[in-house]
Amino acid sequence: MSLLTADALGLLLKNAISTSSMRLGRVVHARIVKTLDSPPPPFLANYLINMYSKLDHPESARLVLRLTPARNVVSWTSLVSGLAQNGHFSTALFEFFEMRREGVAPNDFTFPCVFKAVASLRLPVTGKQIHALAVKCGRILDVFVGCSAFDMYCKTRLRDDARKLFDEIPERNLETWNAYISNSVTDGRPKEAIEAFIEFRRIGGQPNSITFCGFLNACSDGLLLDLGMQMHGLVFRSGFDTDVSVYNGLIDFYGKCKQIRSSEIIFAEMGMKNAVSWCSLVAAYVQNHEDEKASVLYLRSRKEIVETSDFMISSVLSACAGMAGLELGRSIHAHAVKACVERNIFVGSALVDMYGKCGCIEDSEQAFDEMPEKNLVTLNSLIGGYAHQGQVDMALALFEDMAPRGCGPAPNYMTFVSLLSACSRAGAVENGMKIFDSMKSTYGIEPGAEHYSCIVDMLGRAGMVEQAFEFIKKMPIKPTISVWGALQNACRMHGKPHLGILAAENLFKLDPKDSGNHVLLSNTFAAAGRWAEANTVREEMKGVGIKKGAGYSWITVKNQVHAFQAKDRSHKMNKEIQTMLTKLRNKMEAAGYKPDLKLSLYDLEEEEKAAEVSHHSEKLALAFGLVALPLSVPIRITKNLRICGDCHSFFKFVSGSVKREIIVRDNNRFHRFKDGICSCKDYW
């Protein structure tokens, strides 16, 4: 090695950079010091500066630069480029200013690095100054300098300046068009991105994988399924049907457009998949409420030894939250800790949300407290957790810490959905109305359908059904399915059949193909004793081929999920389940309990109604939990429909008589039964 020339040593330094081998770089540096005169030739010094800065050793790069007397624009650009590449944007700008103090003029390679640093730091004034310097130096007409300046204006939200610069660029290359399309999507302007792509194609431009992905993102944001499918065809025609990044974009696009089957087909047809491919399909499943499939795919990715990312972890945690999969959620939390991503803000927020939706509010609070950095999503997740538990005081206390009153981020649309939901579940009508009134007056947020639905639900739960109806009539927007649904449920619970029928009829008009709306209307007639009309609605359902969705309850025992339907006798432990139910029913009847026969919405005899109510799916799941789970373990049940009033009373009695904590998550909220009391405070 002692016979190596300066040129050969330079080639070795280039190899150290390409292979990211700091060890090789240091060995070559030592050989340079030992065999060559000091200082080394300027080109070798530049290689050394480039190697140290690119491999993220900025102090060593700076030291070599300071010890190089003949430093030039290449020396400085090597340092600035490496610093910007490794995310040291402030230091990159500082070194650029030092370069200018020495009177060194930047070149076509310096400006793009500096514009990148300015864009990342969101410094529009500094960006304009650098732009002026590029004009003064005669470099702005270079296509790469112009493209980086344009990208800087986009990222610093100076849209007019960005558009003006784009129009002035004499030669726009593919990277310039890609920057325009990508930044339009990032800035929430998918229509402009699509128009830019069409113009680009009109002048004969040939897209690459970045162009395709940008266009697909625009179609995803605008839910433009037909346009995205046309792009899918162009992908094939252009020969990009084997490009992994484009296929990942297609999986994401079809998932966001609710075409999950297409996402599955594309994933299955991919010859080579990367970690993003797996993450994209997991996210697509979550977006389409296919939480179980998302969890299965995640477990499959673990067997395939796919690289774990914070995006994958946060996505599958959202799936666990959606299906109340506490056991799987805990194991994923452990994996996040092992992968050292649990403190990532996205993973941390997903943990707060998952534990809150699984009824473990203490764990949700702990995950929140352990996060080194919190954002609005994190705060909304914890407020949502309190809302699920009906802990309105805790939700309001956290809200008080937010801006403008506190020092946290300003609340947004979803913050108020969670707050009003908490007030509804806790029966806090006065607080709820104050919060609703403050949305526009104090925070400048226009109430939406979800907020109006929460208010109707809150008034209805509190027995103020007529006031809820009057509120609906005064709404400035057209009542949605959720609004009429909230009123209908309130009418059913508080015995207001005339308004209940009105609400059910409006639901029926809004979505006549939804089996749930047929059932609601039928049940409302039945609750009012109008059996002929109830039967007519059910016959109409059969006539047009609409089937009622089955009600299920799930319970997990020893990592195995057990599902139950009403009157289900197929479970292998059915004998023990029926014995336990009989024992509990006898005990309750001795204490004066009588089943609520109004909740059997069929024209049956009294004894038949009692049998109907006593074998609801949640009761079967509870009996199985009492038989199969140890006394110290809470019984956690998930239900795809709302828990009925009789089962609610039944669970309260069981929690008090056998001293067991029972947690039920139905399709509306959480119920935590302990010592004969429910966390929903019976405002249900």
Side-chain angles (χ1 to χ4, degrees):
M1 196 167 176
S2 58
L3 300 177
L4 289 175
T5 63
D7 288 338
L9 291 167
L11 288 173
L12 284 172
L13 286 173
K14 285 180 69 176
N15 187 48
I17 295 171
S18 64
T19 60
S20 300
S21 175
M22 177 53 65
R23 183 178 181 183
L24 174 61
R26 288 197 183 280
V27 169
V28 175
H29 190 181
R31 181 58 58 177
I32 290 170
V33 172
K34 187 174 181 179
T35 61
L36 300 180
D37 294 335
S38 182
F43 83 93
L44 270 184
N46 291 343
Y47 271 132
L48 285 168
I49 295 166
N50 192 37
M51 184 267 295
Y52 280 120
S53 62
K54 288 286 195 313
L55 299 185
D56 203 15
H57 282 68
E59 293 303 323
S60 298
R62 260 199 226 96
L63 183 59
V64 174
L65 181 75
R66 302 291 181 255
L67 295 174
T68 303
R71 49 183 176 264
N72 55 24
V73 64
V74 177
S75 314
W76 285 101
T77 301
S78 297
L79 177 61
V80 172
S81 172
L83 290 168
Q85 180 179 306
N86 287 288
H88 306 297
F89 303 118
S90 299
T91 311
L93 272 182
F94 174 80
E95 295 298 340
F96 175 75
F97 297 148
E98 286 295 306
M99 166 186 159
R100 294 295 297 139
R101 287 192 188 95
E102 287 197 0
V104 179
N107 63 14
D108 298 346
F109 297 96
T110 317
F111 279 112
C113 302
V114 180
F115 279 127
K116 179 182 178 180
V118 171
S120 300
L121 294 169
R122 304 291 191 269
L123 300 173
V125 176
T126 305
K128 286 189 173 186
Q129 293 172 337
I130 305 297
H131 182 190
L133 180 62
V135 173
K136 186 178 179 181
C137 295
R139 303 288 183 180
I140 194 63
L141 296 181
D142 178 86
V143 65
F144 295 104
V145 175
C147 180
S148 57
F150 168 75
D151 188 62
M152 178 273 297
Y153 278 121
C154 288
K155 286 186 166 60
T156 52
R157 302 297 179 120
L158 297 174
R159 295 178 184 173
D160 294 338
D161 294 297
R163 182 71 214 198
K164 185 178 179 182
L165 179 61
F166 183 81
D167 292 337
E168 291 175 353
I169 295 175
E171 181 189 350
R172 301 169 191 156
N173 63 1
L174 178 60
E175 285 69 28
T176 311
W177 285 99
N178 283 345
Y180 189 98
I181 293 168
S182 300
N183 281 295
S184 295
V185 174
T186 304
D187 205 27
R189 295 175 284 122
K191 186 178 179 182
E192 285 188 28
I194 291 166
E195 290 171 351
F197 178 83
I198 294 171
E199 184 181 348
F200 170 64
R201 291 288 291 160
R202 191 177 290 124
I203 63 173
Q206 293 300 317
N208 64 4
S209 59
I210 297 173
T211 323
F212 283 123
C213 290
F215 187 89
L216 286 169
N217 286 334
C219 292
S220 300
D221 291 351
L223 299 179
L224 304 171
L225 178 60
D226 290 341
L227 197 59
M229 292 175 73
Q230 292 176 39
M231 174 57 70
H232 192 174
L234 182 60
V235 166
F236 273 90
R237 284 177 53 199
S238 304
F240 281 86
D241 51 308
T242 57
D243 189 285
V244 177
S245 59
V246 175
Y247 259 47
N248 293 341
L250 285 167
I251 292 170
D252 178 69
F253 158 70
Y254 281 117
K256 287 178 178 172
C257 290
K258 308 300 180 187
Q259 301 293 314
I260 190 61
R261 182 59 187 150
S262 298
S263 294
E264 291 174 329
I265 292 170
I266 291 168
F267 182 83
E269 290 178 348
M270 291 178 71
M272 182 178 292
K273 305 176 181 70
N274 59 15
V276 177
S277 312
W278 293 84
C279 289
S280 298
L281 187 55
V282 168
Y285 278 136
V286 174
Q287 290 157 5
N288 286 272
H289 309 292
E290 297 276 7
D291 300 316
E292 190 172 343
K293 286 186 177 181
S295 302
V296 170
L297 186 66
Y298 164 76
L299 295 173
R300 186 176 146 203
S301 76
R302 298 289 296 134
K303 290 180 182 177
E304 299 274 348
I305 319 178
V306 177
E307 180 186 356
T308 299
S309 67
D310 52 0
F311 182 72
M312 172 70 93
I313 294 290
S314 58
S315 295
V316 76
L317 283 171
S318 296
C320 293
M323 62 182 184
L326 179 62
E327 288 76 12
L328 179 59
R330 287 197 190 280
S331 68
I332 294 167
H333 187 178
H335 178 55
V337 172
K338 187 177 179 181
C340 300
V341 297
E342 83 281 5
R343 294 186 182 275
N344 174 279
I345 192 162
F346 302 108
V347 174
S349 299
L351 283 168
V352 173
D353 183 59
M354 183 273 293
Y355 281 122
K357 288 181 178 174
C358 287
C360 300
I361 197 65
E362 296 83 4
D363 293 317
S364 182
E365 290 172 329
Q366 183 176 343
F368 180 87
D369 293 337
E370 289 177 353
M371 288 180 65
E373 179 188 357
K374 302 173 181 69
N375 61 10
L376 183 58
V377 175
T378 319
L379 289 161
N380 283 350
S381 296
L382 187 55
I383 290 174
Y386 288 136
H388 275 291
Q389 301 291 322
Q391 297 185 18
V392 65
D393 293 338
M394 299 297 291
L396 289 173
L398 187 57
F399 173 68
E400 291 294 329
D401 291 337
M402 299 172 71
R405 300 180 212 177
C407 56
N412 66 358
Y413 187 97
M414 287 308 300
T415 310
F416 287 100
V417 172
S418 296
L419 279 172
L420 292 172
S421 179
C423 293
S424 173
R425 285 161 185 169
V429 175
E430 187 177 345
N431 277 332
M433 294 308 298
K434 284 181 181 178
I435 290 168
F436 180 80
D437 292 337
S438 71
M439 280 182 63
K440 191 171 182 179
S441 60
T442 306
Y443 300 95
I445 297 174
E446 192 71 39
E450 294 89 347
H451 304 109
Y452 288 109
S453 175
C454 286
I455 294 296
V456 173
D457 188 52
M458 178 180 69
L459 294 171
R461 289 182 194 231
M464 303 164 68
V465 182
E466 284 78 9
Q467 292 92 321
F469 181 60
E470 290 300 318
F471 181 82
I472 292 174
K473 290 197 291 185
K474 295 176 182 177
M475 281 173 54
I477 63 174
K478 189 176 179 179
T480 60
I481 288 174
S482 60
V483 172
W484 287 117
L487 180 65
Q488 201 281 333
N489 283 321
C491 293
R492 180 168 57 87
M493 295 312 302
H494 295 286
K496 303 286 184 180
H498 60 291
L499 285 179
I501 291 169
L502 176 66
E505 287 173 343
N506 277 283
L507 282 169
F508 190 80
K509 289 175 185 175
L510 287 171
D511 192 357
K513 294 183 179 180
D514 185 355
S515 65
N517 293 336
H518 285 77
V519 173
L520 266 179
L521 184 56
S522 173
N523 288 353
T524 305
F525 281 133
R530 294 162 64 173
W531 298 107
E533 289 155 293
N535 290 330
T536 299
V537 174
R538 289 184 179 267
E539 289 301 320
E540 286 176 358
M541 284 178 65
K542 294 177 184 177
V544 295
I546 298 175
K547 294 182 179 179
K548 175 184 177 292
Y552 286 94
S553 294
W554 295 268
I555 181 170
T556 303
V557 175
K558 295 181 180 178
N559 293 323
Q560 184 178 353
V561 178
H562 299 260
F564 295 90
Q565 278 186 278
K567 297 185 286 186
D568 189 354
R569 293 180 178 268
S570 62
H571 196 277
K572 61 182 180 181
M573 294 182 65
N574 179 62
K575 185 177 179 181
E576 292 87 344
I577 291 170
Q578 297 301 326
T579 301
M580 177 59 72
L581 277 176
T582 302
K583 179 181 175 183
L584 291 172
R585 198 157 45 245
N586 291 338
K587 199 172 182 181
M588 291 178 69
E589 287 174 358
Y593 161 80
K594 289 185 179 180
D596 190 347
L597 303 184
K598 291 185 297 183
L599 297 163
S600 177
L601 299 176
Y602 295 96
D603 192 9
L604 306 172
E605 297 297 328
E606 293 295 303
E607 289 183 5
E608 292 175 304
K609 287 185 178 182
E612 181 83 21
V613 171
S614 65
H615 286 84
H616 281 181
S617 63
E618 55 265 53
K619 287 193 177 86
L620 296 173
L622 173 61
F624 174 67
L626 291 169
V627 171
L629 288 171
L631 286 171
S632 58
V633 177
I635 298 172
R636 297 178 181 275
I637 297 169
T638 305
K639 185 174 171 58
N640 66 333
L641 304 176
R642 291 185 71 166
I643 185 173
C644 83
D646 182 72
C647 290
H648 191 272
S649 301
F650 188 87
F651 279 37
K652 281 173 62 178
F653 177 86
V654 172
S655 70
S657 65
V658 300
K659 302 299 179 186
R660 293 293 293 269
E661 183 178 10
I662 307 163
I663 300 168
V664 180
R665 177 179 168 180
D666 63 11
N667 73 336
N668 189 46
R669 67 202 168 285
F670 265 100
H671 306 268
R672 193 173 210 148
F673 301 91
K674 191 173 182 180
D675 299 326
I677 300 172
C678 180
S679 61
C680 75
K681 301 179 179 64
D682 291 342
Y683 290 101
W684 66 278

